[in-house]
Amino acid sequence: MGAASNAHHTTSRRHGHQLILVTGGAGFIGSNFVLDWLATGNTPVVNLDRLTYAGNLHNLAAIKDDSRHVFVRGDIADRALVAALLQRYQPRAIVHFAAESHVDRSIHGPAEFIQTNLVGTFALLEEARAYWSGLPHAPREAFRFLHVSTDEVYGSLAAEDPAFSESTPYAPNSPYAASKAGSDHLVRAYHHTYGLPTVTTNCSNNYGPFQFPEKLIPLIILNAFRDKALPIYGDGRNVRDWLYVGDHCEGIRVALARGLSGETYNIGGRAERTNIDVVTAVCAIMDEHRPQNAPHSRLITYVKDRPGHDRRYAIDPGKIERELGWRPRQRFEDASGEYRTWVATNYGERNPA
Ligand code: NAD
Ligand code: TYD
C-alpha cells in the first residue's frame, strides 16, 4: 500500500490492460472484494478510496506487503486524479464500490450522498469514457465498467409481492436509495448513448467481516458486548434478504468475467429474515460466547422507527444463476459458526465489555 512511485511504474508497465481499478476498496464490501480477488490468484488491483469514516486500511492489513495491491487515497470526483490513474495503469476494468452507504446517515445529511454517489459516479463515468474511447480495439472490446448497486433502488415490497427482478420499476424511497438509483441510471445512459461497456449488479443486504458498526448486525454485536441497548426500529418485522459478503464478491467476479455489456444482474441470498429474527439469532450466539451475560435478548429495545422505513426487500437472483452460473454458497444459519469466530476475533479480545 502507498507503494513508492517506482513500484507504481513497474505495476503499470507490467500489467497494462490486465489490472483492475477498484473504487471504495477500503470499505466493507470493497475490502472483502480486493482480498478475495488477490487470494483467488487474480491480476493486480489499484484501489482508489477517499478513506471516509467508512474506509479503513486495517481491513487490508493482510495484503499490506503484497505488491499486487496499490492503494491510492483520493476522491472519485477528482477527475484529474482519476484520469491520471487510468492513463498510468491502463486498467482492463473498473469495479465501482465507492459510495456513501448508510440509509440513516442519508436521512440526516443527504448532501454527501448526492456528491459521492451521483456527482462522483458521473465524474468516474466521464473519465472512464474518455479513457475507453482512446483504447486500441482489443482492450476496448474487453473493457468493463462494473457498477455495484443495491436492491434498495426498487423500493419496498408488501409481504405477498414477488421478489425484485431486473425488470422491477425503480422506486427509491430514501435519499441513499435515490442517489444509488440516479447513479444506476447514469451508468445505463453511458452504455445506451456512448456504448460504454457497463455491467450493473444490484445486491441485497450483506453481512460478514469488516462491516462498519453502524449497520444492523455489527451494531448489535458491539452493543451486546458492551451491555448496551439493542435498538430495533419500529415493530422489528421489516424484512431484509441477507447475503454473505464473500458470495457477493464472487457474484461480482462472475459478472465481471462473464456478464454481458449493458446488462444488470440482481444478486441475493434467498434468505429473507425479519430484523427481530436476525437480532435474536445474534443474541443466541452471544449467549454461547458469554454465558455469564445471558440472555442478551434482555437488551432488545424497540425504538422510534426510521422515517420512510422500507418494509421488505427480497431479490430474485434467477438471472445471474441461470445465465452466469452463480449461486449463494453460505446459508444464513451456517454463517453463525463463522460469526462466532468473527465475534471472538474482532470484539472478544480488543473490546471486552
Ligand atoms: P462502505 O460504506 O463500507 O464503504 C464505502 C467505501 O467508499 C469506503 O471505504 C469509503 O472511504 C469509500 N468512499 C466513500 N466516498 C468516496 C469518494 N468520494 N471517493 C473515493 N472513495 C470513497 O460501503 P459498503 O457497504 O462496502 O458498500 C459498497 C458498495 O456496495 C456501495 O456502492 C453500496 O451502495 C453497495 N451495496 C452495499 C450493500 C451492503 O449491504 N453493505 C448492499 C448492496 C449494495
Ligand atoms: P441497515 O443495516 O441500516 O441496512 P439497510 O437499511 O440498508 O437495510 O438496517 C437493516 C435493517 O435493520 C433495517 O430494516 C433497519 C433496521 N435497523 C434497526 O432495527 N436498528 C438499528 O439500529 C439499525 C442500524 C437498523
Side-chain angles (χ1 to χ4, degrees), residues 23-32 47-56 59 71-78 96-102 112 115-117 120 147-152 176 180 183 201-207 210-212 214-215 241-243 245 248 252 267:
T23 70
F28 164 46
I29 304 173
S31 63
N32 277 281
N47 184 351
L48 173 63
D49 193 300
R50 202 180 108 196
L51 295 181
T52 66
Y53 79 94
N56 190 341
N59 298 349
F71 184 78
V72 179
R73 184 172 192 181
D75 195 321
I76 53 166
D78 181 345
H96 177 35
F97 294 95
E100 289 293 331
S101 69
H102 189 40
E112 277 295 309
Q115 174 55 33
T116 284
N117 300 0
H147 176 59
V148 179
S149 194
T150 168
D151 58 0
E152 307 199 20
Y176 163 66
K180 291 297 291 188
S183 68
T201 54
N202 293 86
C203 188
S204 60
N205 287 60
N206 283 214
Y207 62 90
F210 309 135
Q211 189 165 30
F212 194 77
E214 63 187 353
K215 305 277 166 68
D241 179 352
W242 293 93
L243 180 71
V245 65
H248 184 190
I252 293 169
I267 306 182

Side-chain angles (χ1 to χ4, degrees), residues 29 63 70 130 156 163 210 218 245 264 268 275 278 287 313-314 322 336 345:
I29 304 173
I63 51 167
V70 176
S156 185
F210 309 135
V245 65
T264 68
N275 293 339
V278 169
D287 289 349
Y313 301 143
R322 276 189 314 276
S336 56
T345 319

Side-chain angles (χ1 to χ4, degrees), residues 110-128:
E112 277 295 309
F113 288 72
I114 303 305
Q115 174 55 33
T116 284
N117 300 0
L118 262 179
V119 178
T121 300
F122 165 68
L124 197 62
L125 282 165
E126 274 292 271
E127 292 309 324

Side-chain angles (χ1 to χ4, degrees), residues 297-318:
S297 55
R298 77 194 142 76
L299 298 169
I300 289 176
T301 308
Y302 287 88
V303 299
K304 192 164 166 298
D305 207 355
R306 168 189 284 171
H309 195 175
D310 283 339
R311 192 63 176 168
R312 173 177 165 240
Y313 301 143
I315 279 271
D316 172 1

Side-chain angles (χ1 to χ4, degrees), residues 34-35 50 65 109 157 201 218 241 253 289 292-293 296 339 352:
V34 169
L35 293 172
R50 202 180 108 196
D65 298 320
L157 294 169
T201 54
D241 179 352
R253 289 201 303 276
H289 193 70
Q292 70 279 15
N293 288 53
H296 289 82
Y339 254 104

